[in-house]
Amino acid sequence: MGNKQTIFTSQQLDAYQDCTYFTRKEILRLFHRYRDLAPQLVPLDYTNQPEVRLPYELIGSMPELKDNPFRQRIAEVFSEDGEGNMTLDDFLDMFSVLSEMAPRDLKAYYAFKIYDFNNDDFICKSDLEKTLNKLTRNELTEDEVRMVCEKVIDEADLDNDGRLSLEDFQHMIVRAPDFLR
Amino acid sequence: MAGRVNFYSDLVTDIESPADEDGVHDSFSQLIDDLNDDLQPDFHDVIEMTSLDPEEESRDDIMDLEGPAYHRSDSEVPQQTDHLIGDRWSSDTLKVLSSMPSRTIGRSRGAIISQYYNRTMQLRRRRQSRPSIQHFPRSARPSIRGYRVETDGDDFEQEEDNKRERLVNNLQNLSANDRVRMLRAMPLSLAEKKELRMLVLNKAEHSLSQSQIPCCSQLKYYIIIALRHGWYGWMSFLSSLQLWQTALKCVGGRFGTGVLSYFVFLRTLLFFNIFLFLVTGLFLVVPQAVLPDPDQNTSVRSTWGLEVLTGAGYFSDSLLYYGYYSNHTLQRNRSCSESMSPCGSGLSYNMPLFYFFTIGAVFFVTCIILVYSMSKSFGQSFCIDKSKGLLAIKVFSSWDFKVSKKSSVRLQRANIGTQLKELVAEVNREELKSPVFQRLWRLFIHMLAWLFCLGSTVGCMLAVYYFSEHMHNKDVKTRSGSPSNTSSSDSLLLKEASLLAVPVVVSSINLLLPGFFNAVAWMEEYDSPSVLNYVSISRNLLLKVSVLGVLCYHWLGRVASKPESLGLQCWESFVGQELYRFLVMDFIFMLLDTFFGEFLWRLFSQKALKRKRKPVFDIARNVLELIYGQTLAWLGVLFSPLLPVVQIIKLLFLFYMKKVSLMMNCQASGKPWRASQMTTIFITLLCFPSFLGAAVCVTYTMWTMKPSDGCGPFRGLRTMFQAGKRWVQQLAEVNPKLSWLVSAHTYLVENPFFLFLCAGIFLIVIYFHSQVVDGQRKIIELLQEQIENEGEDKKFLITRLQDIHERKRVVSPRRVRGASEPFLRMWSRMNRLDALLRSTLVETTLMNHMMKIRAPDGQISHTQGF
């Protein structure tokens, strides 16, 4: 118990609890996961909110992300600086969104961000190509990739502008119950 | 345009959807109104911008106008977008496009904030306890203003602050629960959320301190805080209680959702059995154990180790079986003195009645739970059927994010690659027809395979039939041959062992035949793995159902009708023992299968054959085995109330054993598994042949079979079902006022008409439910069509807009204002259309959401990674 009090103040924990889908215990556990990545960098006292950022190399080496083809994108999307270097807040945020408690809309929003490689708020063909290559690791020929891209945009693009907006994406995701389960 | 609006509203009024549509309607009409109000000034902004530098077509300008990108630092972004769309449209068109409502959603922080601002507004409107919307100043009402990203940078900052202010206001006015939920669901970074929360809390405190807080409300405040802390503690306690959470995460992480669904199914079955055990234990076993029958002669026979397997001998006269339960009202006669007459009635426990009703209630509740979960998972998998073969969904949601093991990741990658390839090939070639001869050959092969499978199934059925008859006859002969029980211990042992013959035969059939089926299916060479799955499931199911059918006939037809021929005092106990044996044997064979089929086979193939592959975990077969075991347990509840305990132990063992074996021996399946679809199939199979069959058997026994005279709670009755009748009659005799109960009983329970009526109502409810779902599906189709139409319209209008721009530039770059008249009209149309499209989309999404039954709030949280 005493240990718990020194890491965060009660207000901090309350704030975390209200802003993420975690309980106190889980927040503390996540903090320790975060700290285990680099014990020399992360202090045990977070009451004065130190500016600590873990580099992407450490985040990406977590077993949950290690083999995920989208790990870099995930880290980038959730990090404040957009380069995958994460503060504790970013870290908690990431796990909160990935947790099973998070609603589908929230997940869809971040999934959209993840698939939107060039950050232009639309999933266009180049994004799709990257997604496909990451998914299958260059197993498809170029022609096939192009076909798949065309077909995907054809299927999911509801307002016929040749790219997928967030709205299109959400609409499509609703029809896929297996999405991010 | 007007016609379209009318059409839309007609459509909406025609649709009688049960959801809260008011929100959509309101926001929609408001949308249009506000559009008309706000259109003019905004438009002038745009035109002014245009007129200032009509010739300057620099790309950067466009990108600035496209609203603040999420990461402004990224300088590469504009170029890329530019290449894709810049060729087609002029910068003016792009400007218009970029400020359309549908494009601005979720793009910038400001847009998100205003979107959530609108949501909080809706929430507040829904909670009627809050002041209604009329009481707010106009600026605070929801409007589409928020949807538009401002074209000016400075303006934007200011506007965002404004919006934030309003959002904070709204959040503050929400109840604490709603606020937290809103806050959590906002797609903002944690730091921003924290800031918002701080603002809200500060404001709340401010307003609190302004109005003097009385002492008691402060106390209330503290109590609420304490309660909340307690609630959080309770939540984390609950989450730690959830069974096998870590183990399931582990399995899901290594093998994906397909294998996970097997374990989740196992857990579901465990809960079913725990429920079964709790009810029977509470109402049957405990009373019987606490108030034992005085005239029960428990002759302890010598014990062999075999009795654990056969369930006979020592166990046969125990709480485990039907025969032990007494047939009269249990009373604690020791404590009942003559002077205190009511104490007897206070502790009396009418065993037959409770036996009857407990079993009935157990089946009824199980039925309801099953139907409910079935409809729930149907609702979920409903959406998939429609989306089958959709490439888009394949690409975006086929990645199983649970998987984190390296080899599985590689496998999944290859898997997705092949699937995509197949889909592309399907798109490419228009049904390349194979020659007739080849198709005939395939047909022939399939027929042959089915013939093999059906033949072997029938063979097994006959084998079980004749073998059980043979054993039965042998038993009858030995009974009649040597009535004296003074045989040597060896022959007793032999006799006990012979009891195990039928279960062993049946279990080995269950073990071996699926392997045979697999071999046949391998010969068939099915193209698609899903067809292969269905075929193998249906074959296995056919086998299990037919074997169980034969066994039921054996028990109810042969044993129960002539129990004297076997010298049985209590045929119910005998059937209970048989079921116990089958259950135990099934378990043992599963153990053997895991050991030989998975462990040794892995060793063999790796050491001897030098293959790197490990065996694949066969989900379909394993699930069917679970279902088979559960059917036995349900069948046996009537004859042996403690059978669920055996099943619970078995499932617990099985979970750990399968998990260890899986981790050690197996590799992730190469077949694609659609987890939610499979769960639906499992639940349906559990409900339809398994539970329904067991329920029919049990009801048949209760309604028509004559219970044995020498034992059990129903001795002396013609059917078990008469226990209720007798009780009602007794009641009526004691208390004449209750005589209506007798007639009610005769009319309602004995008359099959009432039962039919109940079943009919049940079916009608199901039918209505399916009709509602069907209607919703139709609405979704309609709306989707609508969306497509509007998309076409929009495209058309954009082209027109582009045309006007082109002409305008050609005529005179200076006289923009004069030429802007048609443009203005076009712009307003575009905006309306876009708003329409948006609301239609919202509607469709809403409908889609309605169709899935969503998980209740306040579930236990845990991270994906843990």
Side-chain angles (χ1 to χ4, degrees), chain B residues 46-65:
Chain B
V46 176
I47 295 301
E48 235 123 51
M49 296 283 308
T50 323
S51 59
L52 279 179
D53 45 4
E55 270 124 329
E56 197 178 280
E57 306 266 54
S58 85
R59 303 303 188 198
D60 296 337
D61 184 14
I62 303 161
M63 286 325 291
D64 272 348
L65 289 170

Side-chain angles (χ1 to χ4, degrees), chain B residues 329-332 335-337 340-349:
Chain B
T329 308
L330 298 173
Q331 283 181 351
R332 181 171 287 185
S335 65
C336 229
S337 59
M340 296 164 77
S341 49
C343 91
S345 62
L347 272 173
S348 71
Y349 197 87

Side-chain angles (χ1 to χ4, degrees), chain A residues 56-57 59-60 65-66 68-79 82-86 114 117 134:
Chain A
Y56 163 70
E57 288 72 35
I59 300 287
L65 290 176
K66 203 173 63 200
N68 195 317
F70 298 106
R71 60 182 177 282
Q72 178 143 21
R73 272 306 293 168
I74 292 175
E76 278 171 16
V77 164
F78 284 102
S79 62
E83 282 163 19
N85 307 323
M86 290 194 144
I114 289 168
F117 284 87
K134 290 216 182 265

Side-chain angles (χ1 to χ4, degrees), chain B residues 477-508:
Chain B
K477 255 181 230 158
T478 50
R479 292 273 174 185
S480 55
S482 59
S484 60
N485 256 359
T486 53
S487 40
S488 68
S489 62
D490 268 359
S491 72
L492 253 178
L493 186 64
L494 206 68
K495 216 183 82 202
E496 290 227 351
S498 77
L499 286 175
L500 287 177
V502 180
V504 167
V505 166
V506 170
S507 293
S508 42

Side-chain angles (χ1 to χ4, degrees), chain B residues 228-493:
Chain B
R228 205 164 70 142
H229 279 271
W231 173 249
Y232 284 136
W234 174 241
M235 287 297 272
S236 59
F237 172 70
L238 271 187
S239 74
S240 66
L241 259 191
Q242 215 181 30
L243 194 60
W244 295 331
Q245 208 188 74
T246 355
L248 287 179
K249 292 273 174 213
C250 195
V251 167
R254 285 180 72 162
F255 296 95
T257 44
V259 177
L260 183 67
S261 70
Y262 167 80
F263 285 93
V264 171
F265 186 69
L266 202 157
R267 195 175 62 171
T268 319
L269 285 187
L270 186 74
F271 286 140
F272 268 119
N273 282 297
I274 288 175
F275 161 74
L276 220 60
F277 165 64
L278 281 183
V279 175
T280 55
L282 206 65
F283 291 107
L284 300 181
V285 179
V286 171
Q288 185 69 43
V290 171
L291 309 165
D293 234 2
D295 54 316
Q296 199 73 251
N297 51 337
T298 43
S299 55
V300 180
R301 286 191 238 163
S302 56
T303 50
W304 314 95
L306 215 56
E307 275 159 0
V308 181
L309 294 185
T310 61
Y314 172 75
F315 288 113
S316 53
D317 254 344
S318 66
L319 282 168
L320 193 56
Y321 298 117
Y322 167 92
Y324 182 80
Y325 292 84
S326 49
N327 69 334
H328 47 78
T329 308
L330 298 173
Q331 283 181 351
R332 181 171 287 185
N333 34 13
R334 182 167 47 84
S335 65
C336 229
S337 59
E338 305 289 316
S339 55
M340 296 164 77
S341 49
C343 91
S345 62
L347 272 173
S348 71
Y349 197 87
N350 191 342
M351 200 56 187
L353 193 73
F354 269 90
Y355 205 100
F356 180 75
F357 279 115
T358 306
I359 301 290
V362 157
F363 270 87
F364 188 67
V365 173
T366 312
C367 177
I368 286 181
I369 295 174
L370 267 178
V371 168
Y372 172 73
S373 51
M374 202 168 83
S375 75
K376 205 169 109 177
S377 70
F378 255 116
Q380 274 178 353
S381 68
F382 194 67
C383 312
I384 317 182
D385 291 341
K386 252 180 70 197
S387 64
K388 210 177 260 175
L390 264 185
L391 264 174
I393 286 169
K394 257 285 123 61
V395 172
F396 288 123
S397 60
S398 59
W399 186 260
D400 199 334
F401 277 84
K402 282 223 161 91
V403 170
S404 62
K405 197 189 167 205
K406 194 146 198 170
S407 61
S408 302
V409 166
R410 211 179 310 122
L411 208 69
Q412 206 187 358
R413 221 173 229 154
N415 196 355
I416 292 173
T418 348
Q419 281 181 51
L420 283 176
K421 260 184 199 163
E422 274 171 15
L423 276 175
V424 169
E426 236 166 73
V427 172
N428 270 344
R429 90 185 121 93
E430 291 292 326
E431 248 345 283
L432 212 121
K433 290 220 169 168
S434 49
V436 180
F437 172 73
Q438 204 175 341
R439 271 193 295 162
L440 274 180
W441 173 247
R442 296 207 70 150
L443 200 67
F444 174 70
I445 292 276
H446 286 321
M447 298 257 288
L448 201 69
W450 272 103
L451 212 65
F452 272 139
C453 293
L454 288 179
S456 57
T457 306
V458 171
C460 288
M461 225 170 91
L462 289 178
V464 171
Y465 180 83
Y466 284 114
F467 187 67
S468 58
E469 193 178 26
H470 169 72
M471 294 306 290
H472 185 75
N473 288 341
K474 213 172 102 187
D475 226 20
V476 171
K477 255 181 230 158
T478 50
R479 292 273 174 185
S480 55
S482 59
S484 60
N485 256 359
T486 53
S487 40
S488 68
S489 62
D490 268 359
S491 72
L492 253 178
L493 186 64

